[in-house]
Amino acid sequence: MFLAGAAAVLPVLSLCALLRDAACMPRTGMLFPRESPSREVKELSGVWSFRADKSPNRNQGFEKGWYKSRLAETGPVIDMPVPASFNDITQDSTLRDFIGWVWYEREVLVPTRWVADEGTRVVLRVGSAHYYSVVWVNGVKVTEHEGGHLPFEAEIGRVIRQDPTTPVRITIAVNNTLNLHTLPPGIIQHLDDPTKYPKGFFVQSIYFDFFNYAGIHRPVLLYTTPQAYVDDITVVTDFLDSTGLVKYMVSVQNAATASLKVTLMDKDRHCVASSSEPSGVLKVADVRLWWPYLMHENPAYLYTMEVHLTAADERSTYEDFYVLPVGIRTVNVTSTQFLINNKPFYFHGVNKHEDSDIRGKGLDWPLLVKDFNLMRWLGANSFRTSHYPYAEEVLQMCDRHGIVVIDECPGVGIKDIRSFGNASLAHHLDVMDELVRRDKNHPSVVMWSVANEPASEMPPAGFYFKTVINHTKALDPTRPVTYITNSHYDRDRGAPYVDVICVNSYFSWYHDPGHVEVIPIQLKTQFENWYGKYQRPIIQSEYGADAVSGLHSDPPVMFTEEYQSVVLQSYHNVFDQKRKQYVIGELIWNFADFMTVQEVTRVVGNKKGIFSRQRQPKAAAFVLKDRYWRLANETGRLPVWTKYPCPL
């Protein structure tokens, strides 16, 4: 739960009312596929057939029906890994910068029992694809989806049972074109001057500073459920003294009659509470709360909720099991503090990107585990999913490790006034529906961010962000909502509606470059202006400087490791003054170097990372490590063995 402007905890009855009132959530769930006694999962990661539609109008694949037969029969195909961005896989520069439709295909064999048993639902799920997707199975269209970064799925049992003797041919067409009404927005520019450009030349213009990687970025899965199944679960947690309170609601589909058994178990699989109702409150005696990393000697404690459905229709009876990790914690906001479990929480963390060599934005487990090890080494307790929702697997890691998350939608680059219109707003609301539906049960997620650095001084921005923020709060009344701004404090039309002020600034870099002496004055003025006007806690959501690994200079100059370190230390001095008042966090930009479009201000990407793109530390990483462990040690809640510099 959260309560702006007061530290008191809402009574339990209000939590129950809040959960019942969240009726504007999408009608169907999007539970993460998990195996259970009633569910199987078949992952389709690996090598797929791939073809880019390089016809002048990028529409030949639809005109000639590439989905009707094997993709190799339509023309030349190449191997393409899934999950991965397609851009950096080949030596073809035209594919690296390709805009338009690309086609993926894979034939799979499914277990005979899946096809033979009509009481089994077979679901095809795509973790994410950028940005518009159309999916066919055996030439039959089963779904389409607008937007990247979030999952979509379709039930395909009926289709595969039409010809049970043949392999299942899955075809996915993906289009990475951005327009003024997509999230993120963009615009296609056709350059027709024959004295300067070849015939049909066009470029995709974007308003964000990272490479527009595209493709199928997260796993494609087949999974099964019974025909009557657990469709969705929503949990809201609280505690009173030593008693934990888990308010839950279970949604069931396709059941004429149904009975439920909801069991909450501790880490030793001992039952601590149970119920046979589809909704209610589970009371946990001697509760173990979910605490952030470095805030408690036993962080990230997770209970397990097991939902057992027994259902029947006119044909058969069904059993379904689903298991959901549950962290019991609360979130509150006052005018000067961010509270987790009624204790002040200070964000000392990072901004990240889903970005790496070769695989682009593709989910990569070795990289993911490496990044979490680096964050723990750094003493970071939080990060923002800049500037889009990250993979569900990332949030599961955060739940298990106690890393706090500001969960951001793809609302980056909203700069053109035409992107504040009704079409853009409607799509933005849909995206927030999907994001909250997917991530609502993660204890690590403590705040929603609806945009990054929009043109919030424009006249339509006030109504636009008031609408998006109110909609998000209606979806989830338990978490604060913000967006990240770099606008002038007195002209930001959306700022009155946020619960926490999140400000980006790059003093001595984009402003007064090379002059670190301005940082103490300008940063102090920034904080005092924002707090004086809005009386809300403030997070420095971005700050930093580019540094090329191995480039050194004394005295420090821009782009050297020394300059990056001095900039950080200058910011830290002001943070230490203001965190005693109303500054509640600092998130460095960026965790690691990342790729951008080619331009004169970027030398093979953005170099503001404290780690290189290959995850090797720059000098600033050690500056930040010393600071973050000092901040963690100030809590006095850590056992001796976790205190820096002792090894973890």
Side-chain angles (χ1 to χ4, degrees):
M1 107 199 74
F2 101 94
L3 182 62
V9 177
L10 289 174
V12 178
L13 289 177
S14 296
L15 276 177
C16 301
L18 286 173
L19 189 52
R20 285 198 299 270
D21 289 345
C24 46
M25 287 290 291
R27 291 183 179 275
T28 58
M30 191 60 70
L31 294 174
F32 186 79
R34 301 179 188 275
E35 291 194 321
S36 75
S38 60
R39 298 181 177 220
E40 296 179 79
V41 177
K42 182 180 180 67
E43 186 165 331
L44 305 183
S45 297
V47 177
W48 290 50
S49 296
F50 176 90
R51 185 180 181 190
D53 186 343
K54 296 186 178 181
S55 60
N57 66 357
R58 300 293 197 260
N59 209 41
Q60 184 184 79
F62 287 93
E63 293 169 352
K64 296 195 173 182
W66 288 359
Y67 55 87
K68 295 179 181 179
S69 62
R70 295 181 63 201
L71 194 59
E73 297 174 8
T74 70
V77 297
I78 62 173
D79 290 344
M80 186 60 63
V82 172
S85 303
F86 63 73
N87 308 80
D88 292 343
I89 299 299
T90 75
Q91 306 309 110
D92 184 353
S93 62
T94 63
L95 185 60
R96 172 179 163 79
D97 298 314
F98 183 80
I99 302 297
W101 288 101
V102 298
W103 293 69
Y104 290 80
E105 181 194 82
R106 179 163 177 186
E107 291 187 349
V108 298
L109 297 173
V110 300
T112 302
R113 63 184 178 278
W114 290 13
V115 180
D117 182 5
E118 294 193 0
T120 296
R121 294 174 66 247
V122 181
V123 182
L124 172 64
R125 178 187 176 104
V126 180
S128 77
H130 282 35
Y131 285 95
Y132 199 99
S133 304
V134 186
V135 183
W136 298 263
V137 173
N138 295 340
V140 178
K141 180 180 172 182
V142 294
T143 191
E144 58 187 297
H145 182 259
E146 181 179 4
H149 311 287
L150 291 166
F152 55 96
E153 60 185 32
E155 204 282 318
I156 64 168
R158 178 184 57 82
V159 176
I160 66 176
R161 291 184 181 108
Q162 290 177 359
D163 190 355
T165 62
T166 62
V168 176
R169 179 169 50 86
I170 299 169
T171 309
I172 305 176
V174 182
N175 192 324
N176 63 342
T177 305
L178 299 174
N179 60 47
L180 290 172
H181 309 301
T182 57
L183 282 184
I187 191 168
I188 296 292
Q189 291 182 298
H190 293 270
L191 303 172
D192 301 324
D193 186 343
T195 67
K196 294 182 178 180
Y197 304 103
K199 184 178 180 181
F201 186 83
F202 67 91
V203 294
Q204 170 80 77
S205 294
I206 55 178
Y207 308 107
F208 50 86
D209 186 32
F210 54 92
F211 191 80
N212 189 29
Y213 280 114
I216 300 176
H217 286 154
R218 295 172 192 158
V220 180
L221 307 170
L222 292 173
Y223 74 90
T224 66
T225 75
Q227 283 295 336
Y229 63 99
V230 176
D231 176 62
D232 198 14
I233 305 169
T234 302
V235 296
V236 173
T237 65
D238 195 4
F239 65 93
L240 184 62
D241 298 326
S242 63
T243 301
L245 304 165
V246 179
K247 172 71 178 180
Y248 73 92
M249 183 165 56
V250 178
S251 170
V252 172
Q253 293 282 356
N254 302 336
T257 61
S259 64
L260 283 168
K261 180 64 179 296
V262 179
T263 305
L264 193 69
M265 295 174 287
D266 63 18
K267 279 191 174 181
D268 297 321
R269 296 197 59 80
H270 297 143
C271 175
V272 296
S274 64
S275 172
S276 58
E277 299 298 325
S279 62
V281 180
L282 301 175
K283 296 183 178 181
V284 183
D286 299 319
V287 64
R288 299 185 66 175
L289 299 178
W290 187 94
W291 288 99
Y293 174 54
L294 300 178
M295 194 176 177
H296 192 270
E297 57 269 20
N298 293 303
Y301 191 90
L302 292 174
Y303 292 88
T304 298
M305 176 180 284
E306 181 181 270
V307 178
H308 179 195
L309 166 69
T310 304
D313 59 19
E314 64 277 3
R315 295 179 299 174
S316 184
T317 59
Y318 307 97
E319 277 193 293
D320 191 22
F321 296 84
Y322 190 84
V323 172
L324 179 74
V326 174
I328 299 176
R329 63 101 182 97
T330 61
V331 173
N332 292 280
V333 177
T334 75
S335 61
T336 59
Q337 291 181 317
F338 196 99
L339 304 175
I340 294 180
N341 300 334
N342 300 328
K343 302 293 185 183
F345 176 77
Y346 187 80
F347 294 80
H348 47 88
V350 299
N351 293 277
K352 294 182 90 274
H353 265 300
E354 290 185 320
D355 172 278
S356 64
D357 291 328
I358 302 175
R359 56 194 58 76
K361 289 192 180 301
L363 176 68
D364 180 66
W365 274 108
L367 182 75
L368 179 56
V369 173
K370 176 68 173 179
D371 281 1
F372 271 80
N373 285 334
L374 287 174
M375 283 191 286
R376 289 169 62 85
W377 171 86
L378 194 65
N381 64 5
S382 54
F383 69 84
R384 172 169 63 117
T385 68
S386 46
H387 297 296
Y388 39 81
Y390 290 2
E392 293 160 280
E393 293 84 348
V394 175
L395 298 183
Q396 292 164 9
M397 290 277 285
C398 292
D399 292 342
R400 295 199 303 271
H401 290 282
I403 302 297
V404 168
V405 176
I406 300 172
D407 202 350
E408 189 160 277
C409 84
V412 58
I414 305 175
K415 302 293 189 183
D416 191 299
I417 196 167
R418 292 169 290 180
S419 293
F420 288 102
N422 289 338
S424 298
L425 179 58
H427 179 53
H428 204 147
L429 298 181
D430 288 342
V431 169
M432 295 312 301
D433 287 346
E434 293 185 24
L435 176 60
V436 174
R437 174 178 63 176
R438 191 195 74 165
D439 294 347
K440 61 188 175 181
N441 293 326
H442 287 284
S444 58
V445 174
V446 301
M447 183 158 58
W448 306 110
S449 170
V450 301
N452 177 77
E453 294 185 355
S456 51
E457 297 180 21
M458 288 185 174
F463 173 78
Y464 186 96
F465 284 111
K466 179 181 180 182
T467 303
V468 174
I469 290 169
N470 286 345
H471 180 76
T472 306
K473 289 183 177 182
L475 294 171
D476 178 15
T478 73
R479 291 177 175 92
V481 182
T482 189
Y483 67 80
I484 282 68
T485 183
N486 64 348
S487 294
H488 188 276
Y489 78 97
D490 205 31
R491 298 193 295 270
D492 192 313
R493 296 173 182 264
Y497 308 108
V498 302
D499 299 304
V500 175
I501 301 292
C502 292
V503 183
N504 295 348
S505 58
Y506 291 91
F507 304 126
S508 82
W509 190 258
Y510 296 122
H511 310 283
D512 302 300
H515 292 283
V516 294
E517 65 270 22
V518 307
I519 294 175
I521 299 170
Q522 295 183 8
L523 185 57
K524 180 180 178 183
T525 300
Q526 167 196 281
F527 287 144
E528 292 175 353
N529 285 341
W530 280 97
Y531 189 76
K533 183 171 179 65
Y534 297 104
Q535 299 291 302
R536 291 184 177 90
I538 300 174
I539 296 175
Q540 183 72 41
S541 41
E542 290 183 25
Y543 71 105
D546 286 74
V548 178
S549 294
L551 192 61
H552 299 282
S553 176
D554 186 30
V557 296
M558 294 177 70
F559 292 99
T560 65
E561 293 191 34
E562 288 77 12
Y563 189 85
Q564 185 183 43
S565 296
V566 170
V567 168
L568 267 57
Q569 290 165 333
S570 299
Y571 268 80
H572 297 164
N573 291 336
V574 181
F575 294 161
D576 283 339
Q577 299 171 32
K578 296 301 182 181
R579 67 186 175 90
K580 298 178 176 67
Q581 302 172 37
Y582 46 76
V583 170
I584 60 169
E586 54 193 76
L587 304 177
I588 186 69
W589 187 267
N590 192 283
F591 174 76
D593 295 345
F594 56 91
M595 191 53 63
T596 64
V597 296
Q598 299 181 66
E599 56 183 359
V600 295
T601 59
R602 296 284 178 252
V603 182
V604 195
N606 188 305
K607 304 298 186 187
K608 290 190 180 67
I610 58 170
F611 298 99
S612 69
R613 201 181 190 209
Q614 293 72 38
R615 275 41 180 188
Q616 296 306 309
K618 304 175 190 177
F622 296 94
V623 171
L624 214 60
K625 178 186 178 186
D626 287 342
R627 173 170 179 78
Y628 283 180
W629 279 101
R630 177 170 60 82
L631 291 171
N633 289 337
E634 286 180 7
T635 66
R637 298 187 180 92
L638 305 182
V640 174
W641 61 268
T642 62
K643 290 192 176 183
Y644 173 75
C646 296
L648 291 176

